[in-house]
Amino acid sequence: MPTTSVRAEASIKPDMEVYRYDEQIVRMFVLATAIWGLVGMLVGALIALQMPFWQANLGPYLTFGRLRPLHTNAVIFAFAGNAIFAAIYYSTQRLCKARMAFDSLSRVHFWGWQSIIVAAAITLPMGITTSKEYAELEWPIDIAIAVVWVIFAVNFFTTLRNRREKHMYVALWFYIATIITVAVLHIGNSLALPVSMTQSYPIYAGVQDALVQWWYGHNAVAFFLTTPFLGLMYYFLPKAAERPVFSYRLSIVHFWSLVFLYIWAGPHHLNYTAVPEWAVTVGMVFSVMLWMPSWGGMINGLFTLRGAWHKLRDDVVLKMFVIGITFYGMSTFEGPLLSLKSVNALSHYTDWTIGHVHAGALGWNGFMTFGMIYWLMPRLWRTPLWSDRLANTHFWVGTVGMLLYVMAMYSAGVTQGLMWRAFDEAGRLLYPDFMETMIQIVPMYWVRLVGGLMYLAGMVLMLYNMYRTIKSAPKDLPDPAFTSPREVAA
Ligand code: HEM
Ligand code: HEM
């Protein structure tokens, strides 16, 4: 059912209705993404410095232990979080041919989420933490997260119900999985008994606590850093490439197999612990099976560019997306490998894991976000991007920076792993002094810092480009309006 842009509302026939998309909320989330991205990565660079140069630990609030969770919370929930909200608010309205159901709830979602991030930025350096990774925030903030998330869900699902387009495109299914599962994971893992405003104890104990925590932790990766970004890929990549998705059937198989398999893979974080062997084996088997849907998704993304590869020469958005999808392929190839008990015996507790994390985070999440922002900027602010050249520089500085980061971490990780398990002929540890293994990898930490700073410099370039673009944008940015036959909406 075609919709047309409205020139003069007065000329609309009585059997036609007018509807408008809320673009202001998307602009707000885009700006928040870029600003929090800068903050989160600045903290990342600082903790990267603190590892080889302990003097940079400025106690007690700015030590590595306090700032590390601030980094992870800022980049995951503030940078990646605001990016997926921008993607969801922009694409859902278009895929449903309907405005978000409640403008007021969109604003509560936006300001509520930013307040939660500020609360995290205050409490984490103060040492107020549950000490559960990626779920460090204490119970009052956890309740706020649950409330804001439910508000988001009500707004999203009501918009789905109000849709003018009968078919639900695959991106919407990825968003649905995200919204439902994150609510279940967050509420399930955060159940705790408060003893004061700043302290609580989880209702789970011992091994159960570990298992619930890593069911959450792993699926935070799956349903916060993967499924919404796949939805983003399925919407924005065909738009940018001006090609339909390679195989719609494959995207559906991709969706159902991915969501079914991911939820079981959490125990691979608990290899060689007190968790029963069979449970860890289940985690490992499901992780290996995950290879298939993950690569199905990657192939579907890359093949969408068939016949359009020449566009990569000039189109920075497509370049960003190609790096993003390629790194999705790399980290989902590496993940199943790391879950194998024999490989995990070498990689666990080493910087290999940090390399894996940042291949996914910088490559997949970062570059998909940058691609989306560069695609959205001219559309949301109705003016050409200030500088394509600067965006291109961002692409190269970011790519080289990320490669330096991950190569340094792979090299550090394998060095650590091999040194920890090296024995002499008598069966004694060859490097019993832990410091010896640390000193060995200090040069790699410096390389990681250089790579991280380059990636951060790319972010600064993007922010400057955004600032200049917004400065040259028209003052008045009315919401775009469309018409549709009234009976279809019924
Ligand atoms: C300038 C860019 C960045 C730098 C310099 C940086 C640096 C760091 C450092 C030094 C650590 C601590 C590693 C350790 O404990 O040994 C870390 C951890 C982490 N970072 Fe980043 N980071 C950056 C960007 C990002 C982004 C964009 C994301 C996510 C979207 C991210 C997600 C994480 C996660 C999840 C961890 C915890 C890893 C684990 O516990 O295994 N980082 N980062
Ligand atoms: C098929 C997909 C994937 C599988 C099977 C997988 C598997 C794994 C395994 C086995 C570990 C190491 C656990 C350990 O030794 O402690 C790990 C760590 C991690 N992975 Fe993945 N991974 C996948 C994709 C990704 C992607 C795409 C990202 C990021 C966007 C990611 C983010 C992380 C993070 C943040 C950790 C560190 C968790 C911690 O703090 O210990 N993974 N993953």
Side-chain angles (χ1 to χ4, degrees):
M1 180 263 307
T3 55
T4 50
S5 202
V6 180
R7 291 239 166 70
E9 257 175 67
S11 67
I12 302 295
K13 295 192 190 109
D15 59 343
M16 300 293 275
E17 64 170 339
V18 183
Y19 59 97
R20 295 167 188 281
Y21 298 142
D22 180 4
E23 284 199 340
Q24 181 58 15
I25 191 70
V26 188
R27 284 190 283 268
M28 287 157 73
F29 277 118
V30 165
L31 290 176
T33 305
I35 293 166
W36 287 121
L38 180 73
V39 175
M41 291 181 209
L42 259 176
V43 181
L46 177 55
I47 60 172
L49 172 68
Q50 288 172 336
M51 294 198 83
F53 184 67
W54 61 264
Q55 292 86 340
N57 284 272
L58 308 170
Y61 301 114
L62 303 180
T63 52
F64 182 84
R66 300 270 173 104
L67 290 184
R68 188 188 194 277
L70 182 61
H71 165 62
T72 53
N73 276 271
V75 282
I76 297 175
F77 300 113
F79 170 63
N82 278 306
I84 62 182
F85 299 142
I88 292 175
Y89 278 90
Y90 184 86
S91 58
T92 300
Q93 299 189 75
R94 279 152 179 88
L95 291 170
C96 292
K97 295 195 172 122
R99 189 183 179 87
M100 290 310 294
F102 307 103
D103 282 5
S104 53
L105 294 193
S106 305
R107 267 64 188 174
V108 175
H109 176 197
F110 178 82
W111 289 112
W113 196 257
Q114 311 315 315
S115 316
I116 287 164
I117 297 164
V118 172
I122 295 169
T123 54
L124 290 171
M126 288 170 70
I128 298 170
T129 167
T130 63
S131 78
K132 287 176 149 203
E133 204 175 10
Y134 314 127
E136 288 92 351
L137 304 177
E138 266 298 353
W139 66 272
I141 310 179
D142 276 346
I143 292 177
I145 296 173
V147 170
V148 170
W149 198 265
V150 170
I151 286 172
F152 170 39
V154 169
N155 201 3
F156 175 82
F157 285 109
T158 314
T159 311
L160 275 195
R161 199 199 58 192
N162 295 348
R163 72 187 189 277
R164 294 181 176 80
E165 176 67 56
K166 195 157 172 271
H167 178 74
M168 279 169 50
Y169 182 64
V170 66
L172 292 173
W173 288 98
F174 278 105
Y175 301 156
I176 293 172
T178 304
I179 294 172
I180 294 178
T181 319
V182 168
V184 174
L185 293 166
H186 170 69
I187 295 170
N189 189 43
S190 304
L191 293 176
L193 290 177
V195 289
S196 73
M197 282 306 284
T198 55
Q199 204 189 352
S200 61
Y201 291 99
I203 62 161
Y204 315 100
V207 122
Q208 279 91 347
D209 190 29
L211 208 52
V212 172
Q213 157 61 20
W214 282 109
W215 163 76
Y216 163 87
H218 175 76
N219 287 300
V221 168
F223 289 91
F224 208 88
L225 294 180
T226 302
T227 50
F229 281 91
L230 286 169
L232 184 163
M233 174 186 92
Y234 277 119
Y235 181 82
F236 289 96
L237 179 68
K239 286 272 177 207
E242 296 171 321
R243 295 274 188 291
V245 63
F246 168 65
S247 163
Y248 197 66
R249 185 187 295 253
L250 180 58
S251 74
I252 304 296
V253 176
H254 175 202
F255 171 76
W256 286 109
S257 48
L258 193 92
V259 295
F260 171 70
L261 294 176
Y262 245 125
I263 208 85
W264 301 97
H268 66 216
H269 290 269
L270 296 163
N271 267 319
Y272 305 107
T273 63
V275 171
E277 187 70 14
W278 66 263
V280 178
T281 305
V282 169
M284 183 182 79
V285 170
F286 275 86
S287 305
V288 173
M289 288 196 286
L290 262 172
W291 210 324
M292 296 291 247
S294 304
W295 273 47
M298 174 193 69
I299 287 168
N300 216 359
L302 290 180
F303 280 18
T304 296
L305 290 167
R306 74 205 177 287
W309 285 99
H310 62 279
K311 291 189 180 177
L312 257 73
R313 261 198 304 274
D314 316 304
D315 191 333
V316 74
V317 172
L318 285 182
K319 274 196 245 192
M320 295 273 184
F321 282 159
V322 165
I323 288 284
I325 297 167
T326 308
F327 272 81
Y328 175 63
M330 280 181 53
S331 49
T332 56
F333 171 80
E334 186 187 24
L337 196 75
L338 289 176
S339 76
L340 300 176
K341 289 179 197 179
S342 48
V343 179
N344 204 259
L346 177 68
S347 71
H348 193 66
Y349 300 126
T350 75
D351 283 324
W352 188 344
T353 310
I354 307 297
H356 163 68
V357 170
H358 288 85
L362 303 181
W364 166 236
N365 303 126
F367 272 77
M368 293 308 285
T369 301
F370 302 147
M372 177 188 77
I373 291 184
Y374 283 120
W375 189 83
L376 280 175
M377 283 306 294
R379 289 167 175 83
L380 290 176
W381 274 274
R382 319 239 167 93
T383 187
L385 188 68
W386 181 66
S387 167
D388 280 335
R389 257 183 77 176
L390 208 60
N392 242 321
T393 315
H394 176 189
F395 171 81
W396 284 110
V397 177
T399 305
V400 174
M402 168 175 59
L403 286 173
L404 283 177
Y405 188 126
V406 297
M407 297 318 283
M409 287 302 97
Y410 290 143
S411 147
V414 175
T415 306
Q416 279 173 318
L418 291 177
M419 286 178 86
W420 290 344
R421 52 153 70 182
F423 298 99
D424 63 16
E425 317 76 63
R428 284 178 305 233
L429 282 175
L430 213 52
Y431 305 101
D433 182 2
F434 183 71
M435 273 313 283
E436 221 178 329
T437 64
M438 285 304 291
I439 289 165
Q440 196 67 28
I441 57 177
V442 166
M444 284 87 147
Y445 282 164
W446 286 113
V447 176
R448 184 245 305 263
L449 178 63
V450 173
L453 286 173
M454 288 178 74
Y455 195 86
L456 181 64
M459 272 293 302
V460 174
L461 295 183
M462 184 178 81
L463 265 160
Y464 184 65
N465 215 347
M466 289 172 75
Y467 166 73
R468 295 300 298 252
T469 308
I470 294 169
K471 246 186 102 180
S472 53
K475 290 281 157 293
D476 191 24
L477 295 168
D479 285 335
F482 300 86
T483 56
S484 137
R486 214 169 265 286
E487 66 277 8
V488 181

